[in-house]
Amino acid sequence: MQDHGEEVVLYWRPMCTYCMKLRFSLLFTRLRHRKVNIWKDPDAAAFVRSVANGFETVPTVTVAGRPMVNPSRRELLDAVKTYAPHLLKGAGE
């Protein structure tokens, strides 16, 4: 599973407190992103394992195809500013 082009993809799973924290913090931005539940998408789970040393570590996020394992909100927004700044139109920090 790979993300397409310039999008931000947030790989998550239910009951993950780190995922809930990141997802909640993104509610206060206008960052366009797609959420993928790795428990419902085996290809997504395989992708996460491929970039997280064989583990299903979430949240894992891709920014314009570049994976980030368990990034903070700040790390994620910095990566978006660098690799896909057009996705931050009006996004708060």
Side-chain angles (χ1 to χ4, degrees):
M1 171 98 189
Q2 294 181 353
D3 69 316
H4 300 92
E6 296 290 310
E7 79 179 319
V8 173
V9 181
L10 169 63
Y11 298 92
W12 69 284
R13 66 171 171 75
M15 310 300 277
C16 168
T17 56
Y18 299 104
C19 297
M20 287 187 272
K21 180 180 174 185
L22 184 59
R23 289 178 66 189
F24 183 75
S25 73
L26 290 178
L27 289 176
F28 299 100
T29 72
R30 292 185 182 171
L31 175 64
R32 289 178 289 166
H33 62 284
R34 181 167 57 96
K35 295 178 286 298
V36 179
N37 179 343
I38 67 167
W39 282 1
K40 291 186 175 184
D41 186 332
D43 291 335
F47 171 74
V48 168
R49 287 191 303 272
S50 78
V51 299
N53 297 320
F55 298 100
E56 290 184 356
T57 305
V58 287
T60 290
V61 181
T62 57
V63 176
R66 292 165 177 85
M68 305 174 72
V69 178
N70 196 19
S72 68
R73 177 179 180 259
R74 165 63 47 211
E75 291 168 330
L76 173 55
L77 292 176
D78 286 347
V80 173
K81 284 178 189 174
T82 300
Y83 301 112
H86 64 282
L87 296 177
L88 280 173
K89 289 184 181 178
E93 294 186 45

